[in-house]
Amino acid sequence: MSMTDPIADLLTRIRNAHIAKHDRLDVPYSKTKLAICRILADQGFISGCELLGDDAEPGRQKVRIVLRSTSEGDPAIRRLARVSKPGRRVYRRADALKPVLNGLGVGIVSTSKGLLTDAEARERRVGGEVICEIW
């Protein structure tokens, strides 16, 4: 059975793992999911991510996500919101991309230059599809 929205599935798995107080989780591999996880790691929302499995078995590869919590034990991610959905795509020009929570959060944008944060997209003056917002 094919999945209609793998990015929403990734965000839901991260959200559920935080609620269940897991320290890591494995999700099926795709280039987009790995790129999103690398952005989350660069921004400090997760501790890291790595690709598990080898190239000989492309259908069996996984992305291991190491979750990050605050010193009080609260999740580092307070909210994950999927903006553009398969039924309603949301595109923004570079000048229409606004900071998420006045710069406290991060928006992930799919551009012609690859997946970028909202700040990088504004800096490079490229727009695209707003994938999600995290804070």
Side-chain angles (χ1 to χ4, degrees):
M1 183 174 177
S2 66
M3 188 178 309
T4 57
D5 194 1
I7 296 170
D9 180 63
L10 167 72
L11 300 177
T12 300
R13 285 178 189 234
I14 292 172
R15 189 179 309 115
N16 289 344
H18 269 305
I19 291 169
K21 302 208 183 291
H22 291 295
D23 57 344
R24 64 182 166 89
L25 73 140
D26 295 340
V27 296
Y29 166 76
S30 77
K31 290 179 183 178
T32 305
K33 290 179 188 179
L34 187 60
I36 289 171
C37 291
R38 287 189 174 147
I39 289 174
L40 292 177
D42 290 343
Q43 297 297 318
F45 289 106
I46 61 174
S47 294
C49 64
E50 64 178 320
L51 183 59
L52 301 177
D54 56 357
D55 294 333
E57 299 180 75
R60 306 238 183 238
Q61 291 178 315
K62 302 271 186 196
V63 177
R64 174 158 292 162
I65 302 168
V66 182
L67 300 174
R68 185 173 160 263
S69 298
T70 62
S71 58
E72 292 85 28
D74 296 328
I77 298 173
R78 293 184 183 264
R79 174 111 200 257
L80 292 164
R82 178 83 159 107
V83 176
S84 185
K85 300 175 183 175
R88 182 172 183 263
R89 301 291 183 181
V90 177
Y91 298 95
R92 297 278 185 264
R93 295 186 323 265
D95 58 352
L97 286 171
K98 302 294 181 210
V100 177
L101 230 58
N102 290 327
L104 297 176
V106 174
I108 297 178
V109 183
S110 177
T111 69
S112 59
K113 310 275 188 208
L115 285 180
L116 302 172
T117 64
D118 57 340
E120 291 172 335
R122 282 191 304 275
E123 181 181 305
R124 294 183 186 188
R125 297 178 193 260
V126 292
E129 181 181 357
V130 181
I131 301 294
C132 61
E133 294 177 344
I134 299 109
W135 65 89

